[in-house]
């Protein structure tokens, strides 16, 4: 799990008076603990590693003793993931983030089962705009448009083989463009960019292009859960997450 933040300088940490974003309480429970509880409640996770600045931050957020590996974070999310995987390269790996506070065991198991069935080196979880906006029309999401598809990321990734790490290596250099789909597409060639700008590049074609360029198999996994696309990056996200969690109880 990727849990590194900007410490007390993080806008959300500052806004709510906590030492670290992952310690931010959501309906009274730190975000990090909510994600760990979801992972531990799933049938698909055998062990958990948390990439974070210091073990103390994780311990403070989780409270009691826990059987989790802490890996010091690096200067970027993809590099942190690569280092954590390299420390114990027992594939497959599920990658998620500490602000995925609405994550549930059902989402995890659905995603992991699909990743296993697809047999790809790397899989990314996505949700269609129609599903998200039907459930939460007030939610402001970043949607990537590929042909007829509009999708949002769900902070769920499966690295199933050594080859799958190649995408994380590429991600290191593209991280600053993650909210700008045209820049991501352009990194894989001018023809891909041209087709994207014309609106003719489909979601499946994007993953085929990535697969061919990096010499691996990458596939999207479309999730039927609107909640899977909602993380906590700003106060309105926190308000929405707390409202959703209250409805679940």
């Amino acid at each position: 799990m990727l849990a590194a933040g900007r410490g007390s300088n993080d806008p959300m940490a500052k806004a709510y008076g906590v030492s670290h974003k992952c310690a931010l309480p959501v309906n009274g429970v730190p975000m990090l603990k909510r994600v760990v509880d979801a992972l531990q409640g799933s049938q698909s996770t055998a062990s958990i590693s948390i990439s974070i600045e210091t073990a103390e931050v994780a311990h403070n957020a989780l409270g009691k003793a826990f059987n989790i590996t802490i890996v010091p974070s690096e200067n970027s999310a993809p590099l942190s993931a690569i280092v954590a995987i390299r420390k114990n390269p027992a594939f497959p790996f599920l990658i998620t983030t500490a602000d995925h506070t609405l994550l549930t065991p059902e989402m995890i198991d659905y995603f992991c089962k699909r990743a296993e069935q697809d047999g790809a080196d790397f899989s990314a979880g996505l949700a269609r705009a129609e599903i998200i906006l039907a459930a939460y029309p007030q939610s402001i999401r970043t949607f990537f448009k590929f042909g007829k598809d509009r999708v949002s990321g769900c902070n769920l990734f499966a690295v199933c083989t050594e080859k799958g790490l190649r995408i994380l290596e590429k991600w290191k250099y593209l991280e600053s463009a993650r909210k700008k789909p045209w820049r991501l597409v352009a990194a894989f060639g001018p023809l891909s960019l041209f087709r994207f700008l014309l609106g003719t590049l489909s979601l499946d074609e994007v993953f085929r292009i990535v697969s061919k360029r990096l010499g691996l198999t990458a596939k999207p996994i479309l999730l039927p859960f609107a909640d899977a696309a909602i993380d906590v990056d700003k106060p309105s996200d926190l308000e929405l997450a707390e409202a959703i969690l209250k409805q679940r109880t």
Side-chain angles (χ1 to χ4, degrees):
M1 183 201 311
L2 302 177
R6 285 174 279 180
S8 57
N9 289 324
D10 183 279
M12 289 294 285
K14 276 186 173 181
Y16 293 95
V18 294
S19 61
H20 194 286
K21 180 183 174 183
C22 76
L24 178 65
V26 182
N27 283 357
V29 179
M31 288 199 295
L32 181 62
K33 187 175 188 318
R34 286 194 177 276
V35 180
V36 167
D37 287 347
L39 290 167
Q40 290 180 331
S42 80
Q43 299 177 7
S44 306
T45 53
S47 61
I48 300 172
S49 294
I50 298 176
S51 177
I52 197 167
E53 293 89 340
T54 67
E56 182 182 8
V57 174
H59 283 235
N60 289 341
L62 295 172
K64 58 186 179 182
F66 54 93
N67 185 24
I68 291 175
T69 301
I70 302 297
V71 180
S73 58
E74 303 295 327
N75 60 9
S76 72
L79 184 57
S80 294
I82 291 168
V83 169
I85 290 172
R86 291 293 188 200
K87 286 185 177 296
N88 181 30
F91 297 94
F93 285 87
L94 170 71
I95 300 174
T96 191
T97 57
D99 61 359
H100 203 336
T101 190
L102 297 177
L103 190 64
T104 66
E106 182 185 9
M107 294 175 194
I108 296 167
D109 291 336
Y110 181 96
F111 176 77
C112 290
K113 183 177 180 180
R114 280 291 311 277
E116 182 180 12
Q117 290 172 343
D118 286 351
D121 299 304
F122 181 92
S123 299
L126 303 165
R128 294 187 188 277
E130 295 85 350
I131 289 176
I132 299 166
L133 296 177
Y136 308 113
Q138 75 276 38
S139 176
I140 300 174
R141 300 290 105 194
T142 298
F143 293 115
F144 291 178
K145 190 176 187 305
F146 299 106
K148 297 182 297 182
D149 295 310
R150 281 201 308 152
V151 297
S152 184
C154 293
N155 285 348
L156 286 172
F157 308 95
V159 182
C160 298
T161 69
E162 179 78 21
K163 285 183 179 180
L165 288 172
R166 295 175 190 173
I167 286 190
L168 298 182
E169 292 285 353
K170 189 74 171 178
W171 183 16
K172 282 194 301 182
Y173 302 103
L174 295 175
E175 189 180 22
S176 63
R178 67 189 185 277
K179 299 289 188 181
K180 300 175 181 177
W182 68 267
R183 288 183 60 187
L184 297 175
V185 174
F188 292 94
L191 179 59
S192 299
L193 175 59
F194 182 67
R195 291 187 59 200
F196 170 73
L197 294 175
L198 289 177
T200 62
L201 198 62
S202 72
L203 182 62
D204 287 337
E205 285 175 315
V206 169
F207 277 81
R208 280 198 292 270
I209 290 168
V210 171
S211 297
K212 184 176 180 180
R213 288 298 181 99
L214 299 182
L216 50 78
T217 304
K219 291 188 178 181
I221 295 177
L222 291 167
L223 301 171
F225 312 102
D227 295 9
I230 298 173
D231 51 15
V232 178
D233 281 330
K234 51 188 181 296
S236 60
D237 294 334
L238 178 60
E239 292 175 10
L240 178 59
E242 290 189 326
I244 293 169
L245 289 168
K246 286 176 182 176
Q247 291 176 352
R248 287 182 184 176
T249 57

